[in-house]
Amino acid sequence: MAAAGPPTSLRGAPCRLLLTLLVFGFACEACKKVVFNMPSKLEADKMVGRVNLKECLRSADLIQSSDPDFRVLDDGSVYTARTIVLSDEKRSFTIWLSDMKKQIQKEIAVFLEHQTKVLSKRHTKETVLRRSKRRWAPIPCSMQENSLGPFPLFLQQVQSDAAQNYTVFYSISGRGVDQEPLNLFFIEKNTGNLYCTQPVDREEYDIFDLIAYASTEDGYSADLPLPLPIRVEDENDNHPIFTETTYNFEVSESSRLGVTVGVVCATDRDEPDTMHTRLKYSILEQTPRSPGLFSVHPSTGVITIASQYLDREVVDKYTLIMKVQDMDGQFFGLTGTSTCIITVQDSNDHAPSFRQNAYKVSVEENAFNVEILRIPIEDKDLINTANWRANFTILKGNENGHFKISTDEKTNEGILYVVKPLNYEENHQVVLEIGVSNEAPFTKDLPFRVTSMNTALVTVLVKDQDEGPECNPTAQYVWIKENSAVGSKINGYKAYDPETKSSNGLRYKKLYDPEGWITIDEKSGSIKTSKILDREAATSRNDLYNITVLAIGQDGRSCTGTLVISIEDVNDNAPEIRQNYLVICKPKMAYTDIAAVDPDDLIHGAPFYFSMPNASPEINRIWTLSKVNDTAARLSYRKNAEFQEYNIPITVKDREGQSATKTLRVNLCDCTHPSQCVATSRSAGGISLGKWAILAILLGVALLSSVLLTLVCGVVGARKKKGVPEDLAQQNLIISNTEAPGDDKVCSANGFMTQTINHSGQGICNTVGSGIKNGGQETIEMMKGGHQTLESCRGHHHSHTLDSCRGGHMEMDNSRYNYSDWHSFTQSRLREKLDLCNQNEDHVPSQDYVLTYNYEGRGSPVGSVGCCSEKQEEDGLDFLNHLEAKFTALAETCTKR
């Protein structure tokens, strides 16, 4: 009977074979041949026999077969790779053993024959071997762990049926023989007796899988290799061990029966699922020795609460010695111990309580924001936790909000304050009921504990003080009808003495009366009107007029109150139209709306009724009124109305018939916007000026004329002269500042600009003409040279002035250019000149010459009055008719009424 072996892949075998032949072909040595007898057919993965490879080449690290139908394992076992059918002819293959490091190769020739052959040398009784069933004869084998011997210890005898026909020698391999631990087992070669040489620890080696071989003297495998497992029988030689030396658990003191505290666990290295590893848990000792508080499940190790007497305030920590025992807890079982520390967590199972049931304290009346009492409490729960911190509450007696209570975070005391003044005349004492509780809710799991709030009574005695008069309420109201007669008497402000509850002996004074409408009687506090009260006065708000009154007691103490006078409205004001002057642009505007206001109360006001009862027939023919709403009407004109200003009397009447008439100036104008007609009306006349206004206007005209004359003279003089000396320009204008080193600019009255650059080495000159009006067209005169342009004025490393630009043969003509020509001519050249001015000696741009300024807004509509202005006014004073609104207001001020 042959045993199956593990399959091995044949991928890459031909390549490896060819490589080996190439490398070791020159150093190959042959070992002795091996002959295997096998049946005519053998299935795949069946063992053919075993070859002693170490005898041939012990250092072989590569084993290969020349026949891919067979594979060779490292121990020399030969297996079929697929089903083999052996014919009558012999079959052979070669096993190559290679040492890659030493480059040594040896070969073993393997011959396969049918099992029937003549064995004259091996057996003298039979000349021909007949095929018979062969088998091994091992028995199940085991050995005791930690055996005491004697050693070598006989285990069993291995026998093969082939021993009946052959002289068989036995051998073994596997862990414990040629693998670690080495030489633990050996077998007698001739008898097949199997021995163990030393004790074995099952926790290290629980089974040894040996393979037994039977072979003849010449290496013939008489039988298939036999797997021979040797099982090590367990002995209870290991104590159970807890997974932790010390366990730490926490449990709330309010936990109920059966609540899990924690789980302990132990392990045993002995064989599982045997009595050696069946563990039992128990509590060996408890400290403090309070019996019955904890229990442990014997099989699972779960620790639970076994009593309701767990109280942190008595014991806050317990230490348990846990025991575990194998052999299911029998007395001869091995044991192990561990420590379990159980910390009892605090629960709010003790309500805070007052040390006293009643307290008494006194306080001065009118005192507030003062501490009057500290109330200590007792609480057995853990300090500085929510179970210990107290919350105080005033349950009764503080309906008016005179008191407040808080908690001192350090001492846990209740601090009682007076936050609102007490009045002795109202109440001589106040009894407060104060309760206390914790921040955390009380534990409900303890049915035998008292859960009601603890309370205490605090009696607060109010001490009397000599007080001044009391103004209560602070604001007192009286009603007076508008336009009442002077001297009308009304009840005034009343204060009282809190001690006597009377107003006798008090004096009154008026501290503040905005309009001086009221006088107050010093003894009684009654008031009289000193003027006629006007509800529409600016100082009254919402028909109310406030007076501040001072009440003085006999001892000089006082209080201040407000007397609020409610003025009842009378219809003493007619509605009024606020507009005086209206502009209607015809035909764009077909009407205009007018509105009226009435300062009286709403019951005397709108709706208003608009009419023109006093208007002339001409006005009534052209103009009509229609209602827009309760306070406005629409004034419309007929299509045939002429453009002119109309005076229209309009009467407005309120709901009670109070009316007023006002004449409106309505300007029916041919315009697109009313502002156009307003400006025209102002400039057209209608304003008479006084003598001082006329004098101011004449002086202004004279001043402007002198300025214009000076400018015109300067332009004429410039035409006659061919050059302008620099000193002349400097006599007219004073140099105000230099904006860069060496850059001075002067401007003369004739309109020329002279500029000299000291540091640049380039002289630049420019001629600016003067602008005048000629026949209604604005022109600008420019000097035009016959043979020289502005570009020719540039020199290199020389300083040029305006005179130097005008050559001896340069002639000036009086050609005129319009403004567009002047602008296009000067714009590009001015920019070019500025770029040259902005360069230093090396022609590199420099920011020290021409400075850039930020944008400062649009220019003034009045225009420039400088000497270099382009435009000059020569005639006309029409600008006086177009002055702005400020000048018009000045004229109206000087108007004779």
Side-chain angles (χ1 to χ4, degrees):
M1 181 175 64
T8 302
S9 175
L10 297 175
R11 290 179 298 177
C15 296
R16 292 196 301 269
L17 177 60
L18 180 60
L19 179 62
T20 304
L21 291 176
L22 293 175
V23 175
F24 300 106
F26 61 90
C28 184
E29 298 180 4
C31 297
K32 65 179 182 178
K33 65 178 181 179
V34 178
V35 179
F36 289 134
N37 292 325
M38 58 175 291
S40 59
K41 183 178 181 180
L42 197 60
E43 300 294 332
D45 294 328
K46 296 297 183 179
M47 185 174 181
V48 178
R50 182 171 178 270
V51 179
N52 191 351
L53 302 179
K54 294 184 179 180
E55 184 179 352
C56 182
L57 182 60
R58 181 175 295 273
S59 61
D61 52 9
L62 178 62
I63 304 172
Q64 294 173 320
S65 172
S66 63
D67 192 340
D69 292 340
F70 301 92
R71 53 190 175 85
V72 184
L73 304 184
D74 292 341
D75 60 353
S77 300
V78 180
Y79 284 85
T80 57
R82 56 176 175 267
T83 303
I84 301 298
V85 177
L86 191 64
S87 61
D88 293 338
E89 299 179 359
K90 294 182 181 180
R91 184 171 181 175
S92 63
F93 64 93
T94 304
I95 299 175
W96 285 294
L97 303 178
S98 303
D99 187 342
M100 303 297 290
K101 295 181 180 179
K102 299 180 180 180
Q103 297 186 357
I104 300 174
Q105 185 182 33
K106 293 187 177 182
E107 61 181 22
I108 302 174
V110 179
F111 296 91
L112 303 179
E113 298 179 353
H114 284 294
Q115 292 179 345
T116 303
K117 67 174 290 186
V118 178
L119 298 174
S120 57
K121 295 183 179 180
R122 296 191 179 92
H123 206 282
T124 58
K125 296 180 180 179
E126 294 184 2
T127 58
V128 177
L129 287 177
R130 299 183 180 273
R131 181 182 176 88
S132 62
K133 183 178 181 181
R134 301 179 181 182
R135 61 183 179 179
W136 289 82
I139 59 176
C141 180
S142 65
M143 61 177 295
Q144 187 67 33
E145 178 187 13
N146 300 323
S147 174
L148 298 179
F151 294 99
L153 178 66
F154 175 77
L155 299 180
Q156 71 168 349
Q157 185 180 21
V158 179
Q159 292 182 347
S160 174
D161 291 343
Q164 298 176 2
N165 301 320
Y166 302 97
T167 302
V168 177
F169 299 99
Y170 298 97
S171 62
I172 57 175
S173 67
R175 189 173 67 172
V177 182
D178 52 0
Q179 300 176 20
E180 292 291 337
L182 298 174
N183 303 321
L184 181 61
F185 301 98
F186 72 92
I187 190 171
E188 291 183 347
K189 180 177 181 181
N190 297 322
T191 62
N193 292 335
L194 182 63
Y195 294 91
C196 178
T197 60
Q198 61 186 12
V200 178
D201 186 2
R202 190 208 67 84
E203 286 71 40
E204 188 174 1
Y205 305 103
D206 57 346
I207 190 171
F208 294 92
D209 292 319
L210 305 180
I211 297 178
Y213 306 95
S215 61
T216 60
E217 184 179 3
D218 55 2
Y220 166 72
S221 296
D223 211 331
L224 297 177
L226 175 68
L228 184 62
I230 299 177
R231 183 173 172 274
V232 181
E233 297 289 343
D234 184 44
E235 182 185 20
N236 190 17
D237 59 341
N238 289 279
H239 291 261
I241 301 174
F242 282 97
T243 56
E244 295 183 21
T245 305
T246 303
Y247 293 89
N248 290 279
F249 301 123
E250 294 180 351
V251 63
S252 175
E253 63 175 328
S254 60
S255 300
R256 297 185 178 184
L257 291 176
V259 172
T260 300
V261 178
V263 180
V264 295
C265 183
T267 58
D268 197 324
R269 295 182 60 197
D270 291 325
E271 187 174 359
D273 301 324
T274 62
M275 291 294 290
H276 299 164
T277 55
R278 187 172 297 178
L279 307 179
K280 289 290 185 180
Y281 299 94
S282 61
I283 298 176
L284 190 63
E285 182 182 349
Q286 174 183 305
T287 305
R289 297 180 179 275
S290 299
L293 290 182
F294 304 98
S295 64
V296 62
H297 192 281
S299 299
T300 61
V302 177
I303 302 174
T304 57
I305 295 177
S307 174
Q308 287 187 341
Y309 297 101
L310 201 62
D311 192 348
R312 187 204 65 82
E313 289 72 32
V314 177
V315 179
D316 62 350
K317 187 176 293 184
Y318 292 89
T319 301
L320 304 180
I321 303 300
M322 305 300 299
K323 183 182 80 170
V324 61
Q325 191 170 18
D326 59 15
M327 300 301 293
D328 201 18
Q330 299 183 45
F331 69 93
F332 51 81
L334 302 179
T335 62
T337 60
S338 179
T339 302
C340 180
I341 300 176
I342 301 175
T343 302
V344 182
Q345 296 292 321
D346 184 46
S347 297
N348 191 16
D349 56 343
H350 292 86
S353 60
F354 292 101
R355 295 181 182 178
Q356 298 177 214
N357 296 327
Y359 297 87
K360 184 177 289 187
V361 67
S362 61
V363 63
E364 298 283 347
E365 70 170 329
N366 300 323
F368 63 96
N369 291 335
V370 293
E371 175 186 329
I372 61 174
L373 181 64
R374 281 183 171 263
I375 308 174
I377 63 164
E378 292 181 353
D379 195 327
K380 296 180 180 179
D381 289 320
L382 187 62
I383 296 177
N384 293 327
T385 63
N387 301 327
W388 175 80
R389 287 190 287 269
N391 282 336
F392 294 89
T393 307
I394 301 177
L395 302 176
K396 296 179 182 178
N398 193 33
E399 288 76 12
N400 295 325
H402 290 281
F403 301 93
K404 180 188 75 172
I405 191 167
S406 61
T407 305
D408 190 322
E409 296 180 356
K410 295 182 179 180
T411 63
N412 212 28
E413 295 176 324
I415 307 175
L416 184 63
Y417 295 91
V418 175
V419 295
K420 186 177 177 181
L422 295 167
N423 194 338
Y424 175 82
E425 287 72 28
E426 293 179 358
N427 206 343
H428 295 349
Q429 70 176 22
V430 180
V431 179
L432 303 176
E433 183 180 359
I434 298 177
V436 64
S437 60
N438 291 123
E439 291 183 1
F442 193 78
T443 302
K444 299 180 181 179
D445 297 335
L446 304 176
F448 304 106
R449 302 287 176 89
V450 179
T451 59
S452 60
M453 179 181 290
N454 191 260
T455 60
L457 296 179
V458 177
T459 302
V460 181
L461 302 177
V462 183
K463 295 181 180 180
D464 185 26
Q465 284 186 339
D466 187 11
E467 300 173 296
E470 185 171 333
C471 296
N472 190 18
T474 304
Q476 300 180 15
Y477 292 80
V478 296
W479 285 262
I480 302 178
K481 184 172 290 188
E482 184 182 14
N483 299 329
S484 297
V486 176
S488 299
K489 187 175 182 181
I490 308 99
N491 292 331
Y493 195 89
K494 289 294 181 182
Y496 66 94
D497 188 345
E499 307 291 340
T500 61
K501 302 295 182 181
S502 172
S503 298
N504 296 331
L506 299 182
R507 294 179 295 111
Y508 299 91
K509 286 186 177 182
K510 184 178 66 173
L511 291 181
Y512 179 68
D513 181 4
E515 300 293 336
W517 287 347
I518 300 299
T519 60
I520 187 168
D521 186 86
E522 184 177 359
K523 294 183 179 180
S524 63
S526 61
I527 61 173
K528 291 182 181 180
T529 58
S530 59
K531 296 181 181 179
I532 296 177
L533 276 64
D534 187 1
R535 190 193 69 88
E536 290 76 29
T539 54
S540 60
R541 302 287 181 87
N542 299 325
D543 304 341
L544 301 177
Y545 184 74
N546 296 335
I547 299 174
T548 305
V549 179
L550 179 67
I552 307 172
Q554 295 179 355
D555 56 355
R557 297 186 180 185
S558 62
C559 67
T560 303
T562 302
L563 182 63
V564 182
I565 301 175
S566 178
I567 304 175
E568 298 179 5
D569 185 42
V570 175
N571 191 10
D572 57 345
N573 292 280
E576 179 185 1
I577 299 174
R578 294 293 176 88
Q579 296 103 318
N580 294 319
Y581 180 77
L582 300 174
V583 176
I584 302 177
C585 290
K586 180 183 177 183
K588 187 174 182 180
M589 298 171 57
Y591 58 85
T592 185
D593 291 339
I594 55 178
V597 294
D598 193 337
D600 288 327
D601 199 3
L602 294 178
I603 60 174
H604 304 305
F608 301 144
Y609 305 95
F610 296 82
S611 62
M612 298 185 298
N614 302 324
S616 63
E618 182 69 16
I619 295 299
N620 287 327
R621 183 181 63 83
I622 298 175
W623 299 93
T624 60
L625 279 174
S626 60
K627 182 177 180 180
V628 177
N629 52 40
D630 288 347
T631 61
R634 180 162 294 167
L635 182 63
S636 307
Y637 61 89
R638 301 186 186 278
K639 294 183 180 180
N640 57 355
E642 297 180 356
F643 294 107
Q644 67 178 34
E645 184 176 302
Y646 296 88
N647 294 323
I648 304 175
I650 298 177
T651 301
V652 187
K653 184 186 298 183
D654 61 20
R655 66 169 63 189
E656 294 184 354
Q658 187 78 261
S659 64
T661 301
K662 185 172 185 177
T663 301
L664 292 179
R665 293 170 52 213
V666 181
N667 187 0
L668 188 61
C669 183
D670 184 9
C671 59
T672 58
H673 192 272
S675 61
Q676 298 175 346
C677 289
V678 172
T680 303
S681 64
R682 288 179 178 175
S683 63
I687 301 177
S688 58
L689 302 178
K691 58 182 181 180
W692 294 108
I694 295 174
L695 180 60
I697 293 174
L698 293 177
L699 290 175
V701 171
L703 179 60
L704 290 176
S705 300
S706 62
V707 172
L708 293 175
L709 182 60
T710 304
L711 293 176
V712 171
C713 293
V715 171
V716 174
R719 292 177 181 177
K720 294 180 179 181
K721 296 179 181 180
K722 294 184 179 181
V724 180
E726 280 189 310
D727 57 349
L728 180 60
Q730 294 179 359
Q731 291 174 2
N732 292 333
L733 293 179
I734 300 175
I735 298 175
S736 60
N737 194 6
T738 57
E739 298 185 356
D743 184 5
D744 295 337
K745 295 181 181 180
V746 293
C747 181
S748 61
N750 57 11
F752 290 96
M753 178 73 72
T754 301
Q755 184 178 33
T756 302
I757 308 298
N758 295 331
H759 297 286
S760 65
Q762 280 186 322
I764 300 173
C765 63
N766 190 7
T767 302
V768 182
S770 301
I772 63 172
K773 284 187 175 179
N774 186 8
Q777 183 178 5
E778 190 179 58
T779 61
I780 299 176
E781 294 182 355
M782 296 173 55
M783 298 302 177
K784 183 176 178 185
H787 302 284
Q788 191 173 3
T789 62
L790 290 177
E791 285 78 358
S792 63
C793 295
R794 299 172 185 167
H796 296 280
H797 306 286
H798 296 283
S799 178
H800 294 269
T801 63
L802 184 61
D803 294 332
S804 63
C805 293
R806 299 173 183 176
H809 302 283
M810 182 177 180
E811 297 179 358
M812 300 289 184
D813 60 6
N814 293 329
S815 299
R816 296 178 177 267
Y817 295 86
N818 58 26
Y819 180 77
S820 60
D821 294 336
W822 163 256
H823 185 271
S824 61
F825 178 79
T826 58
Q827 195 68 17
S828 60
R829 288 163 175 78
L830 287 176
R831 183 176 292 106
E832 182 180 1
K833 296 177 188 302
L834 288 175
D835 292 337
L836 292 174
C837 290
N838 201 23
Q839 295 178 1
N840 56 20
E841 294 83 0
D842 300 327
H843 304 285
V844 177
S846 174
Q847 295 298 329
D848 293 336
Y849 292 95
V850 179
L851 302 178
T852 302
Y853 293 89
N854 290 331
Y855 177 72
E856 297 182 355
R858 296 178 179 271
S860 172
V862 179
S864 175
V865 295
C867 61
C868 299
S869 299
E870 292 181 358
K871 299 180 181 181
Q872 304 292 339
E873 297 289 347
E874 291 183 349
D875 58 352
L877 299 177
D878 293 338
F879 68 91
L880 296 177
N881 295 328
H882 302 285
L883 296 177
E884 296 181 355
K886 296 181 179 179
F887 293 95
T888 304
L890 176 62
E892 291 178 354
T893 304
C894 301
T895 301
K896 293 182 179 180
R897 299 294 182 184

